[in-house]
Amino acid sequence: MVEQLGFEGMPRRLYSCTPTRLTTWLDCPRRYRMSYLDRPVPPKGPPWAHNSLGASVHNALAAWWRLPLARRTVAAAGAVLEQGWINEGYASDAQSARYRDWARQLVEAYVAGLDPADEPVGVERTVATRTDVIAVSGRIDRLDSRPLPDGEGTELVVIDYKTGRHVLSVDDARSSLALALYAIAAARSLRRDCRRVELHHLPSGQVLAWEHTEESLRRHLRRAEDIAGDCAEADERMRAALPPDACDEVFPPRPSPACGWCDYLRHCAEGQAAAVSRRPWDGLAEL
């Protein structure tokens, strides 16, 4: 763990982060540096159509829950999707229109299975917590309150919407560092039990759920602290005027076929050698 400079007896400065910042470091320290430390930030590639679609769906579901109860209809979900459609990254207006229609079907089918009166505890709710090492925050797509299995009281449930083309599994919910940190932060912020996390995959209609234990949540938190320690040490070296020829030692690239989806591929020779360059709309599911 990095030693922080300061007076003896003074508390160590906490490492402020989001789950995304931590997982970016794990994926590729070079991309982490470009995303969070380089100034000016290197120019990104063009927007991704699949990100535009995902953001449009997330925004529509949040907007639907914010409507007055009497207006939370299936048709209203489709209408707010169309009103807030993000038309970026598509090959053409015609392609965008086809995926807009498909996304409308997704949100309408999803809300058809919801009880509009079952008010969430939070929608797009920011939660935060801290330990002796990190101050972590993040935004939860939806936070529900549900009866406990024994009927004695209620618990919070973290829900994350997914719109990607890849099929998910329960293991994705179990291993998600972000979902575990959200559960910990929600429990501490609201002083209520929160161990269940769910991925709601709209294209397949699947709900992938995992019930954490206190120990499994502690393991995720310890993992987050370990990653934060590596990040903090690298950040300090960057702030101490790291020589250009030492950048790759502290922030090495981790090239893989996934580099084709990196926003900074144009600035990374190793990534270009490892991956096929992707068009902005290549991440869309086939209709």
Side-chain angles (χ1 to χ4, degrees):
M1 191 68 64
V2 61
E3 297 243 353
Q4 303 267 350
L5 298 178
F7 297 104
E8 187 175 354
M10 291 287 286
R12 178 165 36 192
R13 185 173 60 197
L14 299 182
Y15 182 77
S16 295
C17 59
T18 62
T20 300
R21 184 171 181 134
L22 298 179
T23 54
T24 300
W25 171 266
L26 288 181
D27 291 342
C28 180
R30 176 179 285 176
R31 179 158 63 90
Y32 171 92
R33 190 202 79 218
M34 292 180 178
S35 300
Y36 297 105
L37 302 178
D38 280 355
R39 295 294 180 270
V41 178
K44 292 184 178 182
W48 298 101
H50 62 275
N51 286 345
S52 296
L53 187 150
S56 298
V57 169
H58 280 70
N59 293 343
L61 292 174
W64 186 80
W65 279 114
R66 294 184 180 119
L67 292 172
L69 176 57
R71 293 180 55 200
R72 288 180 200 159
T73 64
V74 170
V80 293
L81 181 283
E82 291 206 0
Q83 291 163 10
W85 182 248
I86 301 171
N87 185 31
E88 293 184 345
Y90 295 93
S92 64
D93 288 343
Q95 186 190 57
S96 175
R98 287 197 301 274
Y99 279 91
R100 184 190 62 219
D101 293 343
W102 180 68
R104 177 171 186 148
Q105 294 172 22
L106 287 186
V107 297
E108 289 181 344
Y110 180 73
V111 303
L114 300 177
D115 178 358
D118 190 12
E119 204 73 43
V121 175
V123 173
E124 295 287 332
R125 178 164 184 152
T126 297
V127 293
T129 190
R130 61 179 56 200
T131 70
D132 292 338
V133 178
I134 60 173
V136 61
S137 62
R139 191 168 59 184
I140 301 173
D141 290 344
R142 195 173 95 221
L143 189 63
D144 279 2
S145 178
R146 296 189 197 155
L148 287 165
D150 59 10
E152 299 291 328
T154 60
E155 66 174 346
L156 299 174
V157 179
V158 172
I159 294 171
D160 193 51
Y161 303 130
K162 293 296 182 184
T163 58
R165 61 183 180 177
H166 297 297
V167 176
L168 301 175
S169 71
V170 170
D171 203 50
D172 291 301
R174 179 193 63 79
S175 62
S176 171
L177 180 65
L179 292 183
L181 293 177
Y182 294 157
I184 293 168
R188 293 181 178 181
S189 299
L190 299 176
R191 302 178 185 274
R192 294 176 60 185
D193 288 340
C194 185
R195 298 183 186 180
R196 184 179 177 87
V197 298
E198 295 181 354
L199 297 172
H200 290 202
H201 188 242
L202 273 66
S204 66
Q206 286 185 302
V207 173
L208 297 313
W210 184 255
E211 195 83 27
H212 278 291
T213 63
E214 289 295 327
E215 177 54 32
S216 68
L217 289 174
R218 278 195 295 268
R219 284 198 300 269
H220 276 288
L221 191 56
R222 287 195 297 267
R223 181 170 178 245
E225 290 179 329
D226 289 343
I227 300 167
D230 293 338
C231 293
E233 183 175 2
D235 290 6
E236 287 295 329
R237 293 186 66 178
M238 186 77 171
R239 283 192 286 266
L242 185 69
D245 59 1
C247 266
D248 284 352
E249 173 192 337
V250 181
F251 302 97
R254 291 191 179 142
S256 76
C259 291
W261 304 105
C262 181
D263 287 329
Y264 303 106
L265 182 61
R266 67 173 75 176
H267 309 291
C268 180
E270 291 85 348
Q272 293 172 30
V276 175
S277 182
R278 302 288 184 174
R279 298 173 301 180
W281 54 90
D282 281 347
L284 293 168
E286 289 197 23
L287 300 184

